[in-house]
PDB file of all heavy atoms in Angstrom:
ATOM      1  N   THR A   1     123.859 174.424  92.963  1.00  0.00           N
ATOM      2  CA  THR A   1     123.876 172.985  93.244  1.00  0.00           C
ATOM      3  C   THR A   1     123.441 172.142  92.055  1.00  0.00           C
ATOM      4  O   THR A   1     123.500 170.913  92.119  1.00  0.00           O
ATOM      5  CB  THR A   1     122.953 172.650  94.434  1.00  0.00           C
ATOM      6  OG1 THR A   1     121.572 172.835  94.057  1.00  0.00           O
ATOM      7  CG2 THR A   1     123.282 173.501  95.641  1.00  0.00           C
ATOM      8  N   VAL A   2     122.999 172.781  90.973  1.00  0.00           N
ATOM      9  CA  VAL A   2     122.448 172.028  89.840  1.00  0.00           C
ATOM     10  C   VAL A   2     123.456 171.034  89.283  1.00  0.00           C
ATOM     11  O   VAL A   2     123.134 169.855  89.064  1.00  0.00           O
ATOM     12  CB  VAL A   2     121.963 172.989  88.726  1.00  0.00           C
ATOM     13  CG1 VAL A   2     121.759 172.241  87.418  1.00  0.00           C
ATOM     14  CG2 VAL A   2     120.661 173.664  89.143  1.00  0.00           C
ATOM     15  N   GLN A   3     124.689 171.471  89.057  1.00  0.00           N
ATOM     16  CA  GLN A   3     125.657 170.566  88.443  1.00  0.00           C
ATOM     17  C   GLN A   3     125.968 169.376  89.348  1.00  0.00           C
ATOM     18  O   GLN A   3     126.035 168.237  88.879  1.00  0.00           O
ATOM     19  CB  GLN A   3     126.949 171.305  88.081  1.00  0.00           C
ATOM     20  CG  GLN A   3     127.896 170.435  87.275  1.00  0.00           C
ATOM     21  CD  GLN A   3     129.055 171.220  86.673  1.00  0.00           C
ATOM     22  OE1 GLN A   3     130.202 170.817  86.781  1.00  0.00           O
ATOM     23  NE2 GLN A   3     128.748 172.330  86.033  1.00  0.00           N
ATOM     24  N   SER A   4     126.130 169.611  90.638  1.00  0.00           N
ATOM     25  CA  SER A   4     126.449 168.503  91.541  1.00  0.00           C
ATOM     26  C   SER A   4     125.270 167.540  91.666  1.00  0.00           C
ATOM     27  O   SER A   4     125.455 166.320  91.763  1.00  0.00           O
ATOM     28  CB  SER A   4     126.860 169.022  92.920  1.00  0.00           C
ATOM     29  OG  SER A   4     125.811 169.755  93.528  1.00  0.00           O
ATOM     30  N   ARG A   5     124.064 168.072  91.641  1.00  0.00           N
ATOM     31  CA  ARG A   5     122.889 167.189  91.719  1.00  0.00           C
ATOM     32  C   ARG A   5     122.751 166.359  90.443  1.00  0.00           C
ATOM     33  O   ARG A   5     122.431 165.169  90.502  1.00  0.00           O
ATOM     34  CB  ARG A   5     121.627 168.015  91.973  1.00  0.00           C
ATOM     35  CG  ARG A   5     121.608 168.686  93.332  1.00  0.00           C
ATOM     36  CD  ARG A   5     120.351 169.525  93.527  1.00  0.00           C
ATOM     37  NE  ARG A   5     119.169 168.697  93.733  1.00  0.00           N
ATOM     38  CZ  ARG A   5     117.936 169.170  93.831  1.00  0.00           C
ATOM     39  NH1 ARG A   5     117.715 170.469  93.723  1.00  0.00           N
ATOM     40  NH2 ARG A   5     116.919 168.357  94.041  1.00  0.00           N
ATOM     41  N   SER A   6     122.990 166.981  89.297  1.00  0.00           N
ATOM     42  CA  SER A   6     122.941 166.207  88.059  1.00  0.00           C
ATOM     43  C   SER A   6     124.039 165.161  88.032  1.00  0.00           C
ATOM     44  O   SER A   6     123.854 164.065  87.492  1.00  0.00           O
ATOM     45  CB  SER A   6     123.054 167.137  86.841  1.00  0.00           C
ATOM     46  OG  SER A   6     124.363 167.652  86.690  1.00  0.00           O
ATOM     47  N   ALA A   7     125.180 165.467  88.633  1.00  0.00           N
ATOM     48  CA  ALA A   7     126.293 164.513  88.678  1.00  0.00           C
ATOM     49  C   ALA A   7     125.950 163.281  89.511  1.00  0.00           C
ATOM     50  O   ALA A   7     126.411 162.170  89.199  1.00  0.00           O
ATOM     51  CB  ALA A   7     127.542 165.185  89.238  1.00  0.00           C
ATOM     52  N   GLU A   8     125.139 163.442  90.537  1.00  0.00           N
ATOM     53  CA  GLU A   8     124.754 162.283  91.361  1.00  0.00           C
ATOM     54  C   GLU A   8     123.945 161.284  90.545  1.00  0.00           C
ATOM     55  O   GLU A   8     124.188 160.075  90.598  1.00  0.00           O
ATOM     56  CB  GLU A   8     123.949 162.744  92.584  1.00  0.00           C
ATOM     57  CG  GLU A   8     124.779 163.424  93.652  1.00  0.00           C
ATOM     58  CD  GLU A   8     123.999 163.570  94.944  1.00  0.00           C
ATOM     59  OE1 GLU A   8     123.432 162.556  95.428  1.00  0.00           O
ATOM     60  OE2 GLU A   8     123.932 164.697  95.469  1.00  0.00           O
ATOM     61  N   PHE A   9     122.989 161.780  89.769  1.00  0.00           N
ATOM     62  CA  PHE A   9     122.196 160.872  88.945  1.00  0.00           C
ATOM     63  C   PHE A   9     123.048 160.297  87.823  1.00  0.00           C
ATOM     64  O   PHE A   9     122.956 159.103  87.505  1.00  0.00           O
ATOM     65  CB  PHE A   9     120.982 161.593  88.363  1.00  0.00           C
ATOM     66  CG  PHE A   9     120.077 160.685  87.562  1.00  0.00           C
ATOM     67  CD1 PHE A   9     119.215 159.804  88.202  1.00  0.00           C
ATOM     68  CD2 PHE A   9     120.100 160.697  86.171  1.00  0.00           C
ATOM     69  CE1 PHE A   9     118.391 158.947  87.483  1.00  0.00           C
ATOM     70  CE2 PHE A   9     119.272 159.849  85.438  1.00  0.00           C
ATOM     71  CZ  PHE A   9     118.424 158.971  86.100  1.00  0.00           C
ATOM     72  N   ASP A  10     123.906 161.114  87.236  1.00  0.00           N
ATOM     73  CA  ASP A  10     124.768 160.647  86.161  1.00  0.00           C
ATOM     74  C   ASP A  10     125.667 159.514  86.645  1.00  0.00           C
ATOM     75  O   ASP A  10     125.866 158.513  85.936  1.00  0.00           O
ATOM     76  CB  ASP A  10     125.605 161.809  85.635  1.00  0.00           C
ATOM     77  CG  ASP A  10     126.398 161.442  84.399  1.00  0.00           C
ATOM     78  OD1 ASP A  10     125.837 161.528  83.297  1.00  0.00           O
ATOM     79  OD2 ASP A  10     127.576 161.054  84.537  1.00  0.00           O
ATOM     80  N   TYR A  11     126.201 159.655  87.854  1.00  0.00           N
ATOM     81  CA  TYR A  11     127.064 158.602  88.405  1.00  0.00           C
ATOM     82  C   TYR A  11     126.261 157.318  88.608  1.00  0.00           C
ATOM     83  O   TYR A  11     126.710 156.223  88.249  1.00  0.00           O
ATOM     84  CB  TYR A  11     127.664 159.063  89.731  1.00  0.00           C
ATOM     85  CG  TYR A  11     128.520 158.005  90.395  1.00  0.00           C
ATOM     86  CD1 TYR A  11     129.838 157.790  89.983  1.00  0.00           C
ATOM     87  CD2 TYR A  11     128.010 157.213  91.432  1.00  0.00           C
ATOM     88  CE1 TYR A  11     130.614 156.807  90.582  1.00  0.00           C
ATOM     89  CE2 TYR A  11     128.787 156.233  92.028  1.00  0.00           C
ATOM     90  CZ  TYR A  11     130.089 156.040  91.598  1.00  0.00           C
ATOM     91  OH  TYR A  11     130.850 155.058  92.193  1.00  0.00           O
ATOM     92  N   TRP A  12     125.067 157.437  89.175  1.00  0.00           N
ATOM     93  CA  TRP A  12     124.232 156.245  89.385  1.00  0.00           C
ATOM     94  C   TRP A  12     123.907 155.569  88.060  1.00  0.00           C
ATOM     95  O   TRP A  12     124.014 154.340  87.927  1.00  0.00           O
ATOM     96  CB  TRP A  12     122.933 156.628  90.097  1.00  0.00           C
ATOM     97  CG  TRP A  12     121.964 155.487  90.170  1.00  0.00           C
ATOM     98  CD1 TRP A  12     121.903 154.528  91.137  1.00  0.00           C
ATOM     99  CD2 TRP A  12     120.942 155.153  89.211  1.00  0.00           C
ATOM    100  NE1 TRP A  12     120.917 153.610  90.850  1.00  0.00           N
ATOM    101  CE2 TRP A  12     120.310 153.966  89.669  1.00  0.00           C
ATOM    102  CE3 TRP A  12     120.503 155.728  88.027  1.00  0.00           C
ATOM    103  CZ2 TRP A  12     119.263 153.370  88.966  1.00  0.00           C
ATOM    104  CZ3 TRP A  12     119.469 155.129  87.333  1.00  0.00           C
ATOM    105  CH2 TRP A  12     118.854 153.967  87.798  1.00  0.00           C
ATOM    106  N   LEU A  13     123.528 156.364  87.074  1.00  0.00           N
ATOM    107  CA  LEU A  13     123.143 155.793  85.784  1.00  0.00           C
ATOM    108  C   LEU A  13     124.325 155.082  85.131  1.00  0.00           C
ATOM    109  O   LEU A  13     124.190 153.956  84.628  1.00  0.00           O
ATOM    110  CB  LEU A  13     122.618 156.907  84.869  1.00  0.00           C
ATOM    111  CG  LEU A  13     122.036 156.478  83.523  1.00  0.00           C
ATOM    112  CD1 LEU A  13     120.818 155.582  83.715  1.00  0.00           C
ATOM    113  CD2 LEU A  13     121.664 157.710  82.688  1.00  0.00           C
ATOM    114  N   THR A  14     125.472 155.716  85.153  1.00  0.00           N
ATOM    115  CA  THR A  14     126.656 155.126  84.536  1.00  0.00           C
ATOM    116  C   THR A  14     127.074 153.856  85.257  1.00  0.00           C
ATOM    117  O   THR A  14     127.413 152.848  84.609  1.00  0.00           O
ATOM    118  CB  THR A  14     127.803 156.150  84.511  1.00  0.00           C
ATOM    119  OG1 THR A  14     127.394 157.272  83.724  1.00  0.00           O
ATOM    120  CG2 THR A  14     129.065 155.548  83.916  1.00  0.00           C
ATOM    121  N   GLN A  15     127.049 153.865  86.583  1.00  0.00           N
ATOM    122  CA  GLN A  15     127.398 152.652  87.332  1.00  0.00           C
ATOM    123  C   GLN A  15     126.415 151.527  87.023  1.00  0.00           C
ATOM    124  O   GLN A  15     126.808 150.371  86.842  1.00  0.00           O
ATOM    125  CB  GLN A  15     127.416 152.938  88.836  1.00  0.00           C
ATOM    126  CG  GLN A  15     128.588 153.774  89.296  1.00  0.00           C
ATOM    127  CD  GLN A  15     129.918 153.080  89.044  1.00  0.00           C
ATOM    128  OE1 GLN A  15     130.695 153.488  88.177  1.00  0.00           O
ATOM    129  NE2 GLN A  15     130.188 152.033  89.782  1.00  0.00           N
ATOM    130  N   THR A  16     125.151 151.861  86.940  1.00  0.00           N
ATOM    131  CA  THR A  16     124.131 150.846  86.665  1.00  0.00           C
ATOM    132  C   THR A  16     124.352 150.200  85.305  1.00  0.00           C
ATOM    133  O   THR A  16     124.199 148.982  85.144  1.00  0.00           O
ATOM    134  CB  THR A  16     122.729 151.482  86.719  1.00  0.00           C
ATOM    135  OG1 THR A  16     122.503 151.982  88.039  1.00  0.00           O
ATOM    136  CG2 THR A  16     121.647 150.475  86.372  1.00  0.00           C
ATOM    137  N   LEU A  17     124.727 150.999  84.322  1.00  0.00           N
ATOM    138  CA  LEU A  17     124.864 150.496  82.962  1.00  0.00           C
ATOM    139  C   LEU A  17     126.221 149.863  82.682  1.00  0.00           C
ATOM    140  O   LEU A  17     126.320 148.969  81.841  1.00  0.00           O
ATOM    141  CB  LEU A  17     124.639 151.631  81.962  1.00  0.00           C
ATOM    142  CG  LEU A  17     123.246 152.251  81.944  1.00  0.00           C
ATOM    143  CD1 LEU A  17     123.222 153.458  81.014  1.00  0.00           C
ATOM    144  CD2 LEU A  17     122.190 151.233  81.524  1.00  0.00           C
ATOM    145  N   THR A  18     127.265 150.316  83.359  1.00  0.00           N
ATOM    146  CA  THR A  18     128.624 149.920  82.970  1.00  0.00           C
ATOM    147  C   THR A  18     129.355 149.053  83.978  1.00  0.00           C
ATOM    148  O   THR A  18     130.338 148.409  83.613  1.00  0.00           O
ATOM    149  CB  THR A  18     129.500 151.165  82.704  1.00  0.00           C
ATOM    150  OG1 THR A  18     129.722 151.869  83.941  1.00  0.00           O
ATOM    151  CG2 THR A  18     128.844 152.100  81.702  1.00  0.00           C
ATOM    152  N   ALA A  19     128.928 149.065  85.245  1.00  0.00           N
ATOM    153  CA  ALA A  19     129.659 148.300  86.258  1.00  0.00           C
ATOM    154  C   ALA A  19     129.399 146.805  86.081  1.00  0.00           C
ATOM    155  O   ALA A  19     128.479 146.383  85.382  1.00  0.00           O
ATOM    156  CB  ALA A  19     129.243 148.748  87.655  1.00  0.00           C
ATOM    157  N   SER A  20     130.225 146.007  86.720  1.00  0.00           N
ATOM    158  CA  SER A  20     130.139 144.547  86.562  1.00  0.00           C
ATOM    159  C   SER A  20     129.040 143.966  87.444  1.00  0.00           C
ATOM    160  O   SER A  20     129.276 143.168  88.349  1.00  0.00           O
ATOM    161  CB  SER A  20     131.485 143.913  86.892  1.00  0.00           C
ATOM    162  OG  SER A  20     132.464 144.345  85.993  1.00  0.00           O
ATOM    163  N   VAL A  21     127.820 144.386  87.171  1.00  0.00           N
ATOM    164  CA  VAL A  21     126.660 143.781  87.830  1.00  0.00           C
ATOM    165  C   VAL A  21     125.970 142.907  86.801  1.00  0.00           C
ATOM    166  O   VAL A  21     126.122 143.102  85.601  1.00  0.00           O
ATOM    167  CB  VAL A  21     125.682 144.840  88.366  1.00  0.00           C
ATOM    168  CG1 VAL A  21     126.333 145.658  89.453  1.00  0.00           C
ATOM    169  CG2 VAL A  21     125.192 145.748  87.239  1.00  0.00           C
ATOM    170  N   ASN A  22     125.213 141.929  87.272  1.00  0.00           N
ATOM    171  CA  ASN A  22     124.551 141.069  86.287  1.00  0.00           C
ATOM    172  C   ASN A  22     123.340 141.784  85.685  1.00  0.00           C
ATOM    173  O   ASN A  22     122.859 142.791  86.200  1.00  0.00           O
ATOM    174  CB  ASN A  22     124.191 139.705  86.877  1.00  0.00           C
ATOM    175  CG  ASN A  22     123.157 139.787  87.982  1.00  0.00           C
ATOM    176  OD1 ASN A  22     122.174 140.512  87.886  1.00  0.00           O
ATOM    177  ND2 ASN A  22     123.357 139.014  89.043  1.00  0.00           N
ATOM    178  N   THR A  23     122.883 141.232  84.594  1.00  0.00           N
ATOM    179  CA  THR A  23     121.811 141.867  83.837  1.00  0.00           C
ATOM    180  C   THR A  23     120.551 142.028  84.677  1.00  0.00           C
ATOM    181  O   THR A  23     119.867 143.053  84.601  1.00  0.00           O
ATOM    182  CB  THR A  23     121.500 141.042  82.581  1.00  0.00           C
ATOM    183  OG1 THR A  23     122.656 141.042  81.741  1.00  0.00           O
ATOM    184  CG2 THR A  23     120.338 141.633  81.806  1.00  0.00           C
ATOM    185  N   ALA A  24     120.223 141.030  85.492  1.00  0.00           N
ATOM    186  CA  ALA A  24     119.006 141.091  86.303  1.00  0.00           C
ATOM    187  C   ALA A  24     119.069 142.259  87.281  1.00  0.00           C
ATOM    188  O   ALA A  24     118.075 142.967  87.482  1.00  0.00           O
ATOM    189  CB  ALA A  24     118.803 139.774  87.046  1.00  0.00           C
ATOM    190  N   GLU A  25     120.243 142.483  87.876  1.00  0.00           N
ATOM    191  CA  GLU A  25     120.381 143.596  88.815  1.00  0.00           C
ATOM    192  C   GLU A  25     120.252 144.940  88.098  1.00  0.00           C
ATOM    193  O   GLU A  25     119.609 145.862  88.601  1.00  0.00           O
ATOM    194  CB  GLU A  25     121.727 143.505  89.536  1.00  0.00           C
ATOM    195  CG  GLU A  25     121.826 142.363  90.532  1.00  0.00           C
ATOM    196  CD  GLU A  25     123.206 142.259  91.151  1.00  0.00           C
ATOM    197  OE1 GLU A  25     124.120 142.997  90.719  1.00  0.00           O
ATOM    198  OE2 GLU A  25     123.383 141.436  92.058  1.00  0.00           O
ATOM    199  N   ALA A  26     120.869 145.046  86.933  1.00  0.00           N
ATOM    200  CA  ALA A  26     120.778 146.291  86.176  1.00  0.00           C
ATOM    201  C   ALA A  26     119.335 146.548  85.737  1.00  0.00           C
ATOM    202  O   ALA A  26     118.840 147.678  85.795  1.00  0.00           O
ATOM    203  CB  ALA A  26     121.701 146.234  84.958  1.00  0.00           C
ATOM    204  N   LYS A  27     118.655 145.488  85.319  1.00  0.00           N
ATOM    205  CA  LYS A  27     117.270 145.638  84.877  1.00  0.00           C
ATOM    206  C   LYS A  27     116.386 146.089  86.046  1.00  0.00           C
ATOM    207  O   LYS A  27     115.526 146.973  85.884  1.00  0.00           O
ATOM    208  CB  LYS A  27     116.745 144.321  84.290  1.00  0.00           C
ATOM    209  CG  LYS A  27     115.361 144.433  83.690  1.00  0.00           C
ATOM    210  CD  LYS A  27     114.820 143.094  83.208  1.00  0.00           C
ATOM    211  CE  LYS A  27     115.585 142.540  82.034  1.00  0.00           C
ATOM    212  NZ  LYS A  27     114.887 141.361  81.427  1.00  0.00           N
ATOM    213  N   THR A  28     116.600 145.526  87.200  1.00  0.00           N
ATOM    214  CA  THR A  28     115.827 145.925  88.378  1.00  0.00           C
ATOM    215  C   THR A  28     116.082 147.383  88.727  1.00  0.00           C
ATOM    216  O   THR A  28     115.158 148.152  89.025  1.00  0.00           O
ATOM    217  CB  THR A  28     116.171 145.030  89.573  1.00  0.00           C
ATOM    218  OG1 THR A  28     115.809 143.675  89.266  1.00  0.00           O
ATOM    219  CG2 THR A  28     115.435 145.462  90.830  1.00  0.00           C
ATOM    220  N   ALA A  29     117.353 147.777  88.683  1.00  0.00           N
ATOM    221  CA  ALA A  29     117.699 149.162  89.002  1.00  0.00           C
ATOM    222  C   ALA A  29     117.058 150.132  88.021  1.00  0.00           C
ATOM    223  O   ALA A  29     116.509 151.174  88.422  1.00  0.00           O
ATOM    224  CB  ALA A  29     119.214 149.328  89.003  1.00  0.00           C
ATOM    225  N   LEU A  30     117.090 149.810  86.729  1.00  0.00           N
ATOM    226  CA  LEU A  30     116.495 150.696  85.728  1.00  0.00           C
ATOM    227  C   LEU A  30     114.975 150.715  85.820  1.00  0.00           C
ATOM    228  O   LEU A  30     114.336 151.748  85.579  1.00  0.00           O
ATOM    229  CB  LEU A  30     116.925 150.276  84.332  1.00  0.00           C
ATOM    230  CG  LEU A  30     118.384 150.566  83.978  1.00  0.00           C
ATOM    231  CD1 LEU A  30     118.736 149.918  82.648  1.00  0.00           C
ATOM    232  CD2 LEU A  30     118.660 152.064  83.932  1.00  0.00           C
ATOM    233  N   THR A  31     114.392 149.574  86.173  1.00  0.00           N
ATOM    234  CA  THR A  31     112.936 149.525  86.350  1.00  0.00           C
ATOM    235  C   THR A  31     112.501 150.443  87.486  1.00  0.00           C
ATOM    236  O   THR A  31     111.449 151.092  87.416  1.00  0.00           O
ATOM    237  CB  THR A  31     112.490 148.083  86.620  1.00  0.00           C
ATOM    238  OG1 THR A  31     112.839 147.267  85.492  1.00  0.00           O
ATOM    239  CG2 THR A  31     110.989 148.000  86.841  1.00  0.00           C
ATOM    240  N   HIS A  32     113.339 150.504  88.516  1.00  0.00           N
ATOM    241  CA  HIS A  32     113.034 151.338  89.696  1.00  0.00           C
ATOM    242  C   HIS A  32     113.929 152.572  89.715  1.00  0.00           C
ATOM    243  O   HIS A  32     114.386 153.005  90.779  1.00  0.00           O
ATOM    244  CB  HIS A  32     113.192 150.507  90.966  1.00  0.00           C
ATOM    245  CG  HIS A  32     112.295 149.304  91.010  1.00  0.00           C
ATOM    246  ND1 HIS A  32     110.942 149.395  91.242  1.00  0.00           N
ATOM    247  CD2 HIS A  32     112.560 147.983  90.792  1.00  0.00           C
ATOM    248  CE1 HIS A  32     110.399 148.178  91.186  1.00  0.00           C
ATOM    249  NE2 HIS A  32     111.353 147.312  90.921  1.00  0.00           N
ATOM    250  N   TRP A  33     114.149 153.165  88.565  1.00  0.00           N
ATOM    251  CA  TRP A  33     115.073 154.286  88.441  1.00  0.00           C
ATOM    252  C   TRP A  33     114.686 155.473  89.320  1.00  0.00           C
ATOM    253  O   TRP A  33     115.542 156.269  89.722  1.00  0.00           O
ATOM    254  CB  TRP A  33     115.151 154.732  86.975  1.00  0.00           C
ATOM    255  CG  TRP A  33     113.899 155.413  86.497  1.00  0.00           C
ATOM    256  CD1 TRP A  33     112.796 154.830  85.965  1.00  0.00           C
ATOM    257  CD2 TRP A  33     113.616 156.808  86.573  1.00  0.00           C
ATOM    258  NE1 TRP A  33     111.832 155.760  85.689  1.00  0.00           N
ATOM    259  CE2 TRP A  33     112.307 156.986  86.048  1.00  0.00           C
ATOM    260  CE3 TRP A  33     114.329 157.920  87.013  1.00  0.00           C
ATOM    261  CZ2 TRP A  33     111.715 158.250  85.966  1.00  0.00           C
ATOM    262  CZ3 TRP A  33     113.726 159.180  86.936  1.00  0.00           C
ATOM    263  CH2 TRP A  33     112.437 159.329  86.419  1.00  0.00           C
ATOM    264  N   GLN A  34     113.395 155.580  89.649  1.00  0.00           N
ATOM    265  CA  GLN A  34     112.957 156.722  90.458  1.00  0.00           C
ATOM    266  C   GLN A  34     113.554 156.712  91.864  1.00  0.00           C
ATOM    267  O   GLN A  34     113.542 157.741  92.552  1.00  0.00           O
ATOM    268  CB  GLN A  34     111.435 156.742  90.551  1.00  0.00           C
ATOM    269  CG  GLN A  34     110.745 157.008  89.229  1.00  0.00           C
ATOM    270  CD  GLN A  34     109.235 157.049  89.365  1.00  0.00           C
ATOM    271  OE1 GLN A  34     108.699 157.817  90.158  1.00  0.00           O
ATOM    272  NE2 GLN A  34     108.549 156.238  88.580  1.00  0.00           N
ATOM    273  N   ALA A  35     114.087 155.550  92.283  1.00  0.00           N
ATOM    274  CA  ALA A  35     114.731 155.456  93.591  1.00  0.00           C
ATOM    275  C   ALA A  35     116.182 155.929  93.567  1.00  0.00           C
ATOM    276  O   ALA A  35     116.834 155.989  94.607  1.00  0.00           O
ATOM    277  CB  ALA A  35     114.676 154.013  94.097  1.00  0.00           C
ATOM    278  N   ALA A  36     116.689 156.260  92.391  1.00  0.00           N
ATOM    279  CA  ALA A  36     118.086 156.683  92.260  1.00  0.00           C
ATOM    280  C   ALA A  36     118.289 158.073  92.860  1.00  0.00           C
ATOM    281  O   ALA A  36     117.341 158.859  92.978  1.00  0.00           O
ATOM    282  CB  ALA A  36     118.484 156.691  90.793  1.00  0.00           C
ATOM    283  N   PRO A  37     119.518 158.399  93.226  1.00  0.00           N
ATOM    284  CA  PRO A  37     119.796 159.743  93.746  1.00  0.00           C
ATOM    285  C   PRO A  37     119.427 160.823  92.733  1.00  0.00           C
ATOM    286  O   PRO A  37     119.793 160.728  91.559  1.00  0.00           O
ATOM    287  CB  PRO A  37     121.313 159.724  93.990  1.00  0.00           C
ATOM    288  CG  PRO A  37     121.670 158.276  94.127  1.00  0.00           C
ATOM    289  CD  PRO A  37     120.715 157.536  93.240  1.00  0.00           C
ATOM    290  N   GLU A  38     118.678 161.805  93.189  1.00  0.00           N
ATOM    291  CA  GLU A  38     118.276 162.954  92.369  1.00  0.00           C
ATOM    292  C   GLU A  38     117.516 162.549  91.101  1.00  0.00           C
ATOM    293  O   GLU A  38     117.558 163.247  90.076  1.00  0.00           O
ATOM    294  CB  GLU A  38     119.501 163.809  91.996  1.00  0.00           C
ATOM    295  CG  GLU A  38     120.268 164.357  93.183  1.00  0.00           C
ATOM    296  CD  GLU A  38     119.478 165.393  93.992  1.00  0.00           C
ATOM    297  OE1 GLU A  38     118.371 165.774  93.576  1.00  0.00           O
ATOM    298  OE2 GLU A  38     119.974 165.811  95.053  1.00  0.00           O
ATOM    299  N   ALA A  39     116.791 161.445  91.177  1.00  0.00           N
ATOM    300  CA  ALA A  39     116.096 160.928  89.992  1.00  0.00           C
ATOM    301  C   ALA A  39     115.056 161.917  89.467  1.00  0.00           C
ATOM    302  O   ALA A  39     115.052 162.262  88.283  1.00  0.00           O
ATOM    303  CB  ALA A  39     115.448 159.582  90.309  1.00  0.00           C
TER     304      ALA A  39
END
């Protein structure tokens, strides 16, 4: 399950950094990164 679990966090991180969300939302998400899937 290691690869699939790492993929969950990778997807969250990439969406947070690259998706069309505003800077404040991305900053909040990164500040609270421990709440991300498989963080």
Side-chain angles (χ1 to χ4, degrees):
T1 69
V2 164
Q3 188 169 132
S4 61
R5 294 179 73 185
S6 72
E8 287 193 51
F9 183 77
D10 187 85
Y11 177 80
W12 172 87
L13 186 62
T14 299
Q15 288 298 109
T16 298
L17 296 174
T18 68
S20 297
V21 296
N22 65 43
T23 297
E25 289 176 354
K27 186 184 293 190
T28 298
L30 288 172
T31 299
H32 301 286
W33 71 272
Q34 294 181 56
E38 301 293 354

